[in-house]
Amino acid sequence: MIVYHFGPHSADELTLYFDLVGAEAMLAALKALATAGQDAASEELHATRLHETSAAAARIVLARSPEDAMVKSDSSVRLSMADETVDYAVIKLREFLASGDFSPAEFAAFVREGRKYDTQVYFCVLDPATAARAAA
């Protein structure tokens, strides 16, 4: 399972929560993206987006790009990543699958149109409370 939400400290913060299955799915998508022959390649993952008081089915779209950029909509988030960011995500997910933890949680900063500051993205372990909120 992959769960994401913007906040809680800032609208310029995105946290992605992973269980083992979600981490394996994200890792497979990133590997496919890294080996795709075209720069316009993208991969799509099913996720759950947490809102203040509810949860909804959503998508995470991963794409290659010359720079790290993010596009947010009501039902999805698109992460366009440079090759080195894709490589770093693969490393972080492999370490999580081996150790069961993301340390440090910080992943990368993404440009988001209309925002004064870059959006910081964090990878975190899906804890039972967050999983329960996502299933509700």
Side-chain angles (χ1 to χ4, degrees):
M1 173 184 267
I2 304 171
V3 177
Y4 72 89
H5 78 92
F6 286 87
H9 305 293
S10 165
D12 293 317
E13 173 182 300
L14 170 66
T15 304
L16 298 170
Y17 296 95
F18 298 91
D19 65 5
L20 293 176
V21 172
E24 288 171 350
M26 179 87 150
L27 183 58
L30 288 164
K31 286 180 179 179
L33 192 65
T35 59
Q38 56 184 352
D39 285 341
S42 67
E43 293 290 322
E44 188 173 306
L45 297 162
H46 295 284
T48 300
R49 179 177 178 193
L50 292 181
H51 300 278
E52 291 293 321
T53 59
S54 65
R59 294 176 302 126
I60 298 173
V61 179
L62 306 174
R64 286 172 48 190
S65 173
E67 71 173 3
D68 298 333
M70 176 186 302
V71 176
K72 172 188 167 188
S73 73
D74 288 340
S75 62
S76 69
V77 63
R78 180 182 182 89
L79 300 175
S80 299
M81 296 178 276
D83 290 342
E84 57 271 5
T85 306
V86 172
D87 293 343
Y88 184 54
V90 167
I91 291 167
K92 286 193 71 67
L93 289 163
R94 282 184 178 152
E95 288 175 355
F96 166 68
L97 291 169
S99 71
D101 190 28
F102 289 107
S103 183
E106 294 84 0
F107 166 52
F110 287 76
V111 173
R112 190 163 58 145
E113 190 172 319
R115 303 301 296 183
K116 183 176 180 180
Y117 302 105
D118 288 350
T119 299
Q120 300 297 316
V121 178
Y122 300 90
F123 284 4
C124 294
V125 177
L126 181 63
D127 60 276
T130 304
R133 280 187 60 209

